[in-house]
Amino acid sequence: MPEIDFLVFGGLAALIGSMVQGSVGLGVGLVATPIVTMLFPSLMPGSILVVALALPVATLAREVGHADLRGLGWAFGGRLVGTPLGVLLVAAVPQRALGIVIGGVVLAGLAVTAWSREVPRNRRTLAAAGVVSGATGTASGIGGPPLALLYQRESGPRVRATLAVFFIVGALLSLATLAAAGRLPVRQVTAGLALTPFVLAGFAAAGPLRRYLDDGRLRTALLVVVGTSAAALIVRNLL
């Protein structure tokens, strides 16, 4: 049955992705989006956006005091601009081309930040990251990398809490915008809700990995997660 297949493959992707995000700060969308898009394209992007709400709430329950709320204000401003752009991309750009473009944008940002001595984080870069995140997150469910790259040198709790706040507000905004545009079928929402238990289970299992990465290894892990996911997105849409 298609429903069983979705729970098996989508649930496994959500479980693994939530383990990654529970330790690095992002990952559930990066891991689950390619799998769900490839096997169940009619459930995208709404199902992943729904999934993206549950895990950040669990993260904030542990680390809410570490969030950089001041910086997020500029990022949210950019996200307001980028979200409608994402809706336009969904309507106007073929899915395969869209995946290649999003993967290329993420890899370009990764290259710039990985080889820079210090990534400037100011109102301009935060707003720009918000615009890109709003567009890519709404169009594909992958909106974390632009902001994550700006915080890559911060502590684990600060990265995770800041991204968690951004993901919650951003996912709600993207869902509302898609719904207003008539591009959020009910079955996408119910599919996302069906994956929520897998997300929570993955977060619960991420504790040991979270402690390991917080011991000076988080930046490397974050860059690997971002780069691998972007490359996989490009390759998948080229084949």
Side-chain angles (χ1 to χ4, degrees):
M1 295 176 62
E3 296 83 0
I4 299 299
D5 291 341
F6 176 72
L7 288 177
V8 171
F9 295 105
L12 180 61
L15 177 70
I16 296 173
S18 63
M19 291 180 64
V20 175
Q21 183 163 324
S23 53
V24 177
L26 76 167
V28 66
L30 301 177
V31 175
T33 292
I35 301 299
V36 176
T37 302
M38 180 172 60
L39 299 179
F40 313 97
S42 65
L43 299 179
M44 287 294 295
S47 61
I48 297 302
L49 288 169
V50 172
V51 165
L53 286 174
L55 186 55
V57 172
T59 298
L60 288 181
R62 294 175 52 91
E63 300 173 323
V64 63
H66 296 277
D68 179 19
L69 299 179
R70 182 175 181 179
L72 281 172
W74 293 103
F76 284 139
R79 177 108 192 188
L80 287 172
V81 176
T83 297
L85 296 178
V87 175
L88 293 176
L89 288 174
V90 171
V93 181
Q95 190 176 67
R96 292 170 67 89
L98 185 59
I100 295 171
V101 170
I102 291 175
V105 169
V106 173
L107 282 180
L110 176 64
V112 170
T113 59
W115 281 282
S116 297
R117 182 176 180 181
E118 184 176 355
V119 181
R121 191 170 72 242
N122 51 48
R123 63 183 63 180
R124 289 186 295 274
T125 57
L126 285 165
V131 171
V132 176
S133 180
T136 60
T138 303
S140 69
I142 298 178
L147 194 65
L149 292 175
L150 289 183
Y151 284 89
Q152 61 182 278
R153 297 184 186 276
E154 296 289 343
S155 66
R158 190 166 182 83
V159 172
R160 290 189 293 267
T162 300
L163 289 177
V165 175
F166 187 73
F167 286 148
I168 290 172
V169 177
L172 288 172
L173 180 59
S174 294
L175 286 168
T177 304
L178 287 169
R183 294 190 171 272
L184 184 64
V186 174
R187 58 197 175 95
Q188 292 188 6
V189 176
T190 56
L193 292 175
L195 295 182
T196 299
F198 296 93
V199 170
L200 297 179
F203 177 79
L209 181 59
R210 182 165 52 245
R211 291 189 290 271
Y212 174 78
L213 293 179
D214 282 355
D215 191 19
R217 304 177 179 92
L218 181 68
R219 180 174 183 263
T220 299
L222 190 152
L223 295 178
V224 168
V225 168
V226 170
T228 302
S229 63
L233 187 62
I234 293 174
V235 171
R236 178 179 59 79
N237 284 281
L238 285 173
L239 297 179

